[in-house]
Amino acid sequence: MANLVSLFPNSQPNNPNLLLHGADDFLNDYLVRSYVAQAAFQDLEKVTVDCETDSLDELIADLTEASLFSQSKLVLVKNPYFLTGKAIPKKNQAKIKKQLEQLQEIFDHLDQLDDVVVMVASYEKLDRRKKITKLAEKKFNTVIAEVKSYDSDRFMRKLVKAEGYQFYPDAFTLLMERSDQVLDTALSNYLKLKMISPDKDFSRDLVDRNVDRSLAQNVFAILETALKGNYPEAVERLNGQIREGSYPVQILAVFISQVEFLLCVKTLARRRRSEKDIAQELGAHPYRVKLAMKNPIRLEKLQQMLGKLIQLDYGYKNGSYRDERFLEIFLLNC
């Protein structure tokens, strides 16, 4: 099993004790699954402690007691809130202070334990003013799992390669398109393909048959068709989307998001910003920026459309519109 944690900078690569930190819980879970499944940990007893639901006393016991089933064990610690700035209720402060002192003592002598400790901190940030956080970052191999939205494509390619899988070039492009260039969605769709594919090579046909278009993609296709002047097809696509269960307010929200994005790209491009700079400033995938820059729609037209969409959003939410007809009228005026 590949150690996907190695795709990120490791503070102590040879230290088996891991502190994985990052806000993306889905990504963290995927990385940790690969880490604990390594051959080096295969014979260890696996123990999981969730600090949000289990007591710190239970964690301390698991870290200090010998394994009943093997020479050593791997302790997976989820949600170590004590590394964050989360407030502790006054009535529990004395007890938790004592527990944290015990944990600090354990962490300070971590290299003397037979066990392996893996902590997964799926938080925006840790409180590095705390003594226990400083100690953890010193004693554990600390890995920050962070992928910028504009870098999701490159990261997915590295991950797929590390796991020994392969996409045909057009298949990978389609996967990312159908995933809206969003890492969690791409990772989820990739997992689906891994489960259904008989081998490690993914074709475009496999992706096309098993990865559905997202709501954003379908709605963008509606808008794009209307902008080309093909109003009957645009209205038919709109009605089809509503028949499939999408609410008018959802479709309206995607219209606004798409037009806002096009407007931002066109505005920055007019200021002579490069595709790369625009992608980084907007936190968007470069491919999406490239498509937006190729769109021939004028900046002034986008401004008018956005103003109308904002009016429609207000009208729908205050009850002025009762059905999807207002969206049809908007498309006919694109």
Side-chain angles (χ1 to χ4, degrees):
M1 187 78 174
N3 173 20
L4 300 179
V5 168
S6 63
L7 297 177
F8 298 90
N10 286 229
S11 67
Q12 302 173 50
N14 296 322
N15 183 352
N17 299 299
L18 174 69
L19 168 57
L20 181 66
H21 165 224
D24 191 332
D25 185 58
F26 187 74
L27 174 62
N28 291 345
D29 183 65
Y30 195 91
L31 296 172
V32 166
R33 283 174 183 268
S34 79
Y35 187 78
V36 302
Q38 291 181 96
F41 307 138
Q42 188 174 358
D43 296 330
L44 302 186
E45 178 193 356
K46 307 296 192 303
V47 178
T48 300
V49 179
D50 188 333
C51 298
E52 296 284 2
T53 55
D54 302 320
S55 71
L56 292 184
D57 284 335
E58 187 172 338
L59 172 59
I60 292 166
D62 283 323
L63 292 174
T64 54
E65 294 175 357
S67 171
L68 296 175
F69 305 103
S70 62
Q71 186 174 355
S72 54
K73 60 183 180 292
L74 186 150
V75 182
L76 176 60
V77 185
K78 294 184 175 182
N79 302 311
Y81 66 85
F82 49 83
L83 300 179
T84 72
K86 183 177 180 179
I88 299 171
K90 286 187 177 180
K91 65 177 181 178
N92 295 330
Q93 282 182 351
K95 179 181 178 181
I96 291 180
K97 181 181 178 181
K98 183 178 179 181
Q99 291 169 329
L100 292 181
E101 288 173 351
Q102 290 177 280
L103 282 174
Q104 286 172 194
E105 183 68 18
I106 294 168
F107 288 172
D108 199 28
H109 297 88
L110 199 62
D111 54 349
Q112 299 174 20
L113 296 181
D114 292 328
D115 300 335
V116 174
V117 184
V118 177
M119 290 200 293
V120 188
S122 297
Y123 303 107
E124 286 285 344
K125 58 183 179 179
L126 304 182
D127 189 347
R128 290 181 171 83
R129 298 169 299 177
K130 286 186 172 181
K131 181 178 179 181
I132 193 167
T133 306
K134 293 178 182 177
L135 185 61
E137 291 188 322
K138 178 182 177 182
K139 294 293 184 175
F140 286 75
N141 174 25
T142 303
V143 176
I144 301 175
E146 184 178 66
V147 181
K148 300 295 184 183
S149 56
Y150 56 80
D151 211 21
S152 58
D153 188 302
R154 188 172 68 88
F155 176 76
M156 277 299 300
R157 288 181 187 276
K158 288 167 61 178
L159 182 145
V160 169
K161 182 178 179 181
E163 291 198 309
Y165 288 83
Q166 179 177 311
F167 282 84
Y168 293 103
D170 54 348
F172 183 81
T173 300
L174 184 60
L175 170 73
M176 297 307 294
E177 286 178 2
R178 295 266 173 105
S179 304
D180 287 331
Q181 314 295 341
V182 175
L183 180 60
D184 279 6
T185 309
L187 199 52
S188 177
N189 287 330
Y190 168 56
L191 272 171
K192 183 195 300 185
L193 295 173
K194 284 171 63 177
M195 288 188 288
I196 63 175
S197 177
D199 52 44
K200 292 194 170 187
D201 294 326
F202 302 139
S203 67
R204 180 185 175 88
D205 180 62
L206 182 75
V207 176
D208 188 39
R209 285 186 287 107
N210 295 284
V211 179
D212 296 330
R213 289 178 183 269
S214 67
L215 173 63
Q217 279 188 306
N218 285 328
V219 173
F220 182 70
I222 295 169
L223 185 60
E224 195 171 37
T225 304
L227 289 171
K228 290 177 180 177
N230 192 344
Y231 302 116
E233 183 182 340
V235 171
E236 177 56 34
R237 283 176 178 262
L238 171 66
N239 291 332
Q241 196 64 43
I242 291 172
R243 284 195 300 271
E244 290 177 11
S246 297
Y247 293 103
V249 69
Q250 289 178 298
I251 297 173
L252 182 58
V254 179
F255 278 159
I256 292 173
S257 174
Q258 296 287 2
V259 172
E260 281 182 336
F261 182 75
L262 285 170
L263 184 59
C264 288
V265 171
K266 294 285 185 180
T267 300
L268 291 171
R270 182 173 283 188
R271 296 174 184 170
R272 301 185 182 282
R273 304 290 290 277
S274 68
E275 286 183 18
K276 182 179 179 181
D277 288 342
I278 294 173
Q280 291 185 351
E281 183 157 340
L282 298 181
H285 193 276
Y287 180 76
R288 192 178 175 209
V289 173
K290 183 185 290 290
L291 290 181
M293 291 183 74
K294 287 181 178 180
N295 194 305
I297 189 169
R298 294 180 297 108
L299 183 64
E300 293 72 22
K301 175 71 172 177
L302 288 169
Q303 291 171 335
Q304 293 171 8
M305 289 173 63
L306 183 58
K308 181 62 177 175
L309 285 167
I310 291 171
Q311 290 176 4
L312 291 175
D313 185 59
Y314 177 76
Y316 185 83
K317 289 175 179 176
N318 69 17
S320 298
Y321 308 113
R322 298 294 182 184
D323 56 33
E324 66 275 7
R325 293 281 306 193
F326 74 99
L327 290 175
E328 293 184 15
I329 295 170
F330 169 73
L331 291 176
L332 293 172
N333 285 284
C334 278

